[in-house]
């Protein structure tokens, strides 16, 4: 779980490390086809929108997700958010209007759609920080980095550490060091859609699903760039997964946990559940009434999303003695309620 930097971290990174950034996935559409694109088949080149794990494109759901997750800012990503610029601007304005100027928003984009006009529109909408992804292996659009010199937004370059491409990455850094304010280098992660290309380059996957020698390349770049006196930051795949995501779960759990839930140190929720085969609204209400009658002064909650009754894990074994399909469940506090552990007791 490595994070290393020289110079002050960008504000967006500070909040990410605390798990205080909402992930605003605007679209899977992108004019580029980068070898390092991590998108899954369900998102790549598809016009889908997610707010963290919430699949929606409605402003009301975006606002609700910010409140549930306890976010202090948002990272706008894709695809390329500039491919749906009107939508992206609408989200930026809605977030600023509802949560104020201090709600920090940063955005990731390729150079393909970067223009003076688009930068101006994002700036006027209230975007705080813009990060571009130049193609390390193709210099044809590098000239567009110059467009960032005159913006009031904080700006930087964020790229993956392609194994054994130190020379090319350092060339980019030298080209852009007087044009942007910071550089972020990320560990390259495995992407299923890019497996053939990875094999053609002899890139191997580690047990953590990052690409072997990516971290070595990144750390070499940081040491060589030290003499340039620039702001440069390396973020490993394990740091993103084990720290950023874990901290986001903990923040989310503070708002999502019900009175009877047990919040684990990892930020997951532990509760009891009764999962009837007949889960119509009427039958769930009848089941809840029966449980409340049997276990007086105990709290029970109808979970419409998963069509079950939730309760304290402390009483679920007693419940299991009298009601069928009772289970102890550990799951994420997020909207998708991904299960980490499930054990039926009856």
């Amino acid at each position: 779980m490595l994070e290393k930097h020289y110079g002050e971290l960008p504000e967006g990174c500070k909040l990410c490390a605390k798990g205080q950034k909402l992930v605003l996935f605007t679209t899977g559409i992108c004019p580029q086809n980068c070898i390092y694109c991590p998108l899954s088949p369900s998102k790549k080149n598809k016009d889908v929108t997610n707010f963290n794990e919430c699949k929606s494109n409605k402003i009301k759901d975006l606002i609700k997700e910010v409140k549930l997750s306890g976010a202090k800012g948002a990272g706008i990503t894709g695809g390329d958010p500039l491919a749906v610029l009107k939508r992206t601007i609408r989200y930026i304005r809605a977030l600023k209007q509802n949560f104020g100027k201090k709600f920090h928003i940063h955005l990731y984009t390729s150079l393909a759609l970067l223009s003076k006009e688009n930068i101006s529109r994002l700036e006027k909408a209230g975007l705080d920080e813009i990060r571009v992804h130049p193609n390390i292996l193709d210099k044809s659009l590098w000239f567009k980095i110059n467009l960032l010199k005159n913006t009031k937004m904080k700006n930087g370059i964020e790229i993956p550490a392609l194994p054994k491409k130190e020379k090319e990455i350092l060339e980019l850094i030298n080209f852009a060091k007087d044009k942007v304010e910071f550089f972020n280098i990320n560990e390259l992660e495995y992407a299923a859609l890019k497996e053939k290309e990875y094999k053609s380059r002899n890139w191997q996957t580690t047990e953590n699903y990052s690409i072997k020698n990516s971290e070595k390349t990144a750390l070499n770049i940081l040491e060589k760039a030290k003499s340039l006196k620039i702001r440069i930051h390396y973020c490993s795949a394990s740091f993103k997964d084990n720290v950023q995501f874990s901290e986001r779960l903990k923040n989310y759990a503070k708002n999502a946990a019900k009175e009877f839930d047990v919040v684990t140190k990892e930020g997951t929720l532990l509760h009891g559940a009764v999962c009837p085969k007949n889960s119509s609204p009427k039958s769930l209400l009848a089941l809840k009434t029966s449980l409340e009658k049997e276990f007086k002064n105990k709290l029970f909650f109808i979970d419409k999303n998963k069509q079950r009754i939730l309760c304290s894990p402390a009483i679920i074994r007693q419940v299991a003695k009298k009601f069928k399909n009772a289970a102890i469940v550990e799951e994420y506090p997020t909207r998708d309620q991904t299960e980490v552990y499930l054990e039926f007791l009856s």
Side-chain angles (χ1 to χ4, degrees), residues 17-75:
K18 296 176 183 178
Q20 294 177 339
K21 277 278 182 170
L22 173 135
V23 180
L24 204 174
F25 186 91
T26 54
T27 182
I29 295 172
C30 182
Q32 303 284 82
N33 186 31
C34 301
I35 187 172
Y36 52 81
C37 180
L39 293 191
S40 64
S42 63
K43 289 183 176 179
K44 188 170 177 61
N45 295 324
K46 294 181 173 61
D47 193 15
V48 294
T49 305
N50 283 56
F51 313 134
N52 287 335
E53 291 73 27
C54 173
K55 296 179 180 180
S56 175
N57 59 11
K58 297 178 180 178
I59 296 290
K60 66 176 184 178
D61 287 328
L62 172 60
I63 304 309
K64 182 179 179 181
E65 186 65 21
V66 171
K67 292 177 179 178
L68 281 172
S69 63
K72 305 287 185 189

Side-chain angles (χ1 to χ4, degrees), residues 271 273-276 279 284 301-310 329-332 334-342:
H271 40 230
V274 183
C275 313
S279 55
L284 281 173
F301 174 79
I302 296 177
D303 178 7
K304 295 179 181 178
N305 185 42
K306 287 196 170 182
Q307 298 182 318
R308 58 188 180 171
I309 306 294
L310 300 180
V329 185
E330 181 184 355
E331 60 193 15
Y332 289 163
T334 49
R335 296 272 199 111
D336 57 354
Q337 297 174 292
T338 300
E339 291 172 358
V340 177
Y341 177 78
L342 172 66

Side-chain angles (χ1 to χ4, degrees), residues 135-306:
N135 188 331
I136 303 164
L137 307 177
D138 182 358
K139 303 177 187 178
S140 61
L141 294 179
W142 283 15
F143 72 94
K144 286 193 173 188
I145 297 171
N146 286 289
L147 294 171
L148 299 174
K149 291 174 70 174
N150 298 318
T151 179
K152 295 177 183 177
M153 296 182 290
K154 299 298 181 183
N155 57 81
I157 284 174
E158 183 153 340
I159 53 174
L162 302 186
K164 300 180 181 180
K165 295 296 179 182
E166 294 173 29
K167 179 183 175 182
E168 290 84 351
I169 294 173
L170 285 167
E171 187 177 356
L172 171 62
I173 290 172
N174 276 295
F175 174 83
K177 67 180 186 293
D178 60 343
K179 303 174 179 66
V180 298
E181 298 174 12
F182 62 85
F183 295 87
N184 282 353
I185 312 293
N186 297 324
E187 186 173 15
L188 181 61
E189 297 182 67
Y190 171 79
L193 289 177
K194 298 293 182 177
E195 189 169 5
K196 289 183 179 179
E197 293 183 44
Y198 287 2
K199 286 182 178 179
S200 70
R201 295 172 183 269
N202 294 316
W203 289 351
Q204 298 177 352
T205 309
T206 70
E207 60 182 14
N208 296 321
Y209 292 97
S210 59
I211 301 303
K212 191 175 180 180
N213 292 320
S214 176
E215 180 166 273
K216 181 180 178 181
T217 297
L219 294 178
N220 286 341
I221 289 166
L222 256 67
E223 287 306 306
K224 291 178 180 179
K226 195 192 301 185
S227 62
L228 299 175
K229 296 181 180 180
I230 57 174
R231 292 169 63 191
I232 187 165
H233 169 220
Y234 167 63
C235 190
S236 68
S238 58
F239 184 84
K240 288 180 182 293
D241 292 339
N242 298 329
V243 177
Q244 291 181 4
F245 182 65
S246 178
E247 289 302 311
R248 183 161 72 83
L249 287 185
K250 292 174 188 176
N251 292 332
Y252 210 115
K254 292 175 185 177
N255 298 304
K258 294 172 179 59
E259 188 177 336
F260 52 72
D261 282 331
V262 172
V263 180
T264 70
K265 64 180 181 180
E266 291 81 17
T268 56
L269 300 181
L270 191 66
H271 40 230
V274 183
C275 313
K277 291 182 179 179
N278 181 3
S279 55
S280 66
K282 188 175 180 179
S283 64
L284 281 173
L285 182 58
L287 176 58
K288 180 174 180 285
T289 302
S290 297
L291 285 162
E292 289 171 336
K293 185 177 180 180
E294 184 70 31
F295 300 91
K296 290 182 172 58
N297 301 318
K298 300 297 182 183
L299 294 175
F300 294 91
F301 174 79
I302 296 177
D303 178 7
K304 295 179 181 178
N305 185 42
K306 287 196 170 182

